[in-house]
Amino acid sequence: MAVLIGHASIAENGGINGIKGDSTKKEVCVREWYYKNWTHVLRAPDKSAAAKMASNMRDACNNNNIGYGQSDRLTAYYEYKKVGSIAAIKNKCNADCSSLVALCAIAAGYPVNPDLWTGTEVQEFRKQGFTTYVLDAYTKGSTNLQIGDILRSDTHTAMVVATDTEPTAPNVVKNDVTAKEYAMNFDANKAGTYRVTTSLFLRDGAGLMADVLAVMPEGQPVFNYGYYTKKEVDWMYIQTYMDGILYTGFASAKYLLRAN
């Protein structure tokens, strides 16, 4: 699986300003990592918060009420402030690349300036304890990237939402399979990579009565962003990539062993 990044890319008219909302479903989107003259990689000091940042970017890329625009780049932030969740934004709004990265960090608990831009981005995130990488091994390739890493160039910025070892969010891979319900609880300490300890059903809901989406083999890596549903045991809301398909569903925490 390729390393994937989420970003605010371009308005529907091919320019820097357009109507509010993502009318093409490509204005704010996930795509494979590419080289954009990246000068810095910024890494959060807390891995669970980094996972939350990536989850927030996923929510932004999946929410077509958020489009691209520079002249009204803070309208997505204002809408977020109204509802407290990027996924819950219902009014059409816009962001640009840097204001979207800032918003994803703010929603994960890092109080950066929502109006930051690439010229101030490094300084803003250093204030929050982020580690800065400038070596070619980080900026010119994707091998050393982790979920939640921020890529920065003079003209663009993006965020890593999936790596070869940490599965991505739903709705970015063709023919993906997603559960019919969402998790009811959140605990940032649960976020991370796990491995399946035995052949295990991935279900479309939390509980033994939910339908089976797939059978995961022993050792299969899965990723959790901190979301779960508490029943007789914790049912982890996980994502995993098998046979060219991205699956998002529930599995019993009893059979998942933390890998990081």
Side-chain angles (χ1 to χ4, degrees):
M1 182 181 73
V3 171
L4 301 178
I5 61 173
H7 62 166
S9 178
I10 194 168
E12 76 285 344
N13 56 16
I16 61 173
N17 291 307
I19 61 174
K20 289 183 172 66
D22 193 343
S23 57
T24 66
K25 299 184 179 180
K26 296 179 181 180
E27 298 178 47
V28 179
C29 64
V30 171
R31 59 164 295 172
E32 288 191 10
W33 178 94
Y34 67 104
Y35 182 54
K36 180 71 173 177
N37 296 316
W38 307 117
T39 60
H40 298 77
V41 170
L42 305 168
R43 181 168 294 168
D46 182 87
K47 193 160 187 175
S48 63
K52 179 60 176 171
M53 286 168 54
S55 178
N56 292 335
M57 179 61 76
R58 172 216 52 202
D59 288 342
C61 292
N62 287 339
N63 188 340
N64 291 327
N65 291 314
I66 304 173
Y68 184 95
Q70 287 189 9
S71 63
D72 53 359
R73 64 195 296 266
L74 291 181
T75 53
Y77 170 74
Y78 297 142
E79 292 299 326
Y80 161 77
K81 292 292 287 183
K82 294 177 185 177
V83 297
S85 165
I86 294 174
I89 291 174
K90 301 298 183 184
N91 295 325
K92 300 290 185 183
C93 56
N94 280 337
D96 67 359
C97 62
S98 49
S99 67
L100 182 64
V101 165
L103 174 56
C104 292
I106 290 167
Y110 291 112
V112 296
N113 184 350
D115 199 24
L116 67 78
W117 61 289
T118 54
T120 61
E121 187 173 23
V122 174
Q123 180 182 3
E124 280 290 327
F125 281 101
R126 279 177 174 167
K127 290 178 183 177
Q128 302 302 321
F130 279 57
T131 301
T132 304
Y133 297 94
V134 297
L135 297 176
D136 288 355
Y138 291 88
T139 61
K140 291 188 176 180
S142 60
T143 303
N144 294 309
L145 297 179
Q146 297 180 8
I147 280 183
D149 281 355
I150 297 169
L151 310 177
R152 182 266 177 196
S153 75
D154 290 341
T155 59
H156 193 49
T157 186
M159 184 178 295
V160 176
V161 297
T163 71
D164 290 333
T165 58
E166 298 170 298
T168 184
N171 301 327
V172 298
V173 177
K174 188 176 181 181
N175 298 323
D176 64 340
V177 176
T178 303
K180 66 182 180 182
E181 64 182 62
Y182 295 100
M184 302 298 293
N185 308 99
F186 176 76
D187 181 352
N189 292 323
K190 293 183 182 295
T193 302
Y194 295 76
R195 291 195 179 273
V196 175
T197 60
T198 186
S199 180
L200 183 64
F201 289 141
L202 180 68
R203 298 180 181 273
D204 71 352
L208 296 174
M209 300 303 294
D211 291 336
V212 174
L213 298 175
V215 179
M216 299 180 291
E218 181 179 351
Q220 175 71 21
V222 304
F223 191 79
N224 173 265
Y225 285 98
Y227 294 94
Y228 69 104
T229 294
K230 189 171 185 62
K231 290 197 171 184
E232 68 284 356
V233 297
D234 289 346
W235 284 84
M236 305 290 279
Y237 191 60
I238 60 174
Q239 296 160 340
T240 192
Y241 193 74
M242 296 187 294
D243 300 323
I245 299 174
L246 181 72
Y247 292 87
T248 303
F250 291 86
S252 171
K254 183 178 179 180
Y255 304 104
L256 298 177
L257 179 65
R258 197 176 191 99
N260 64 352

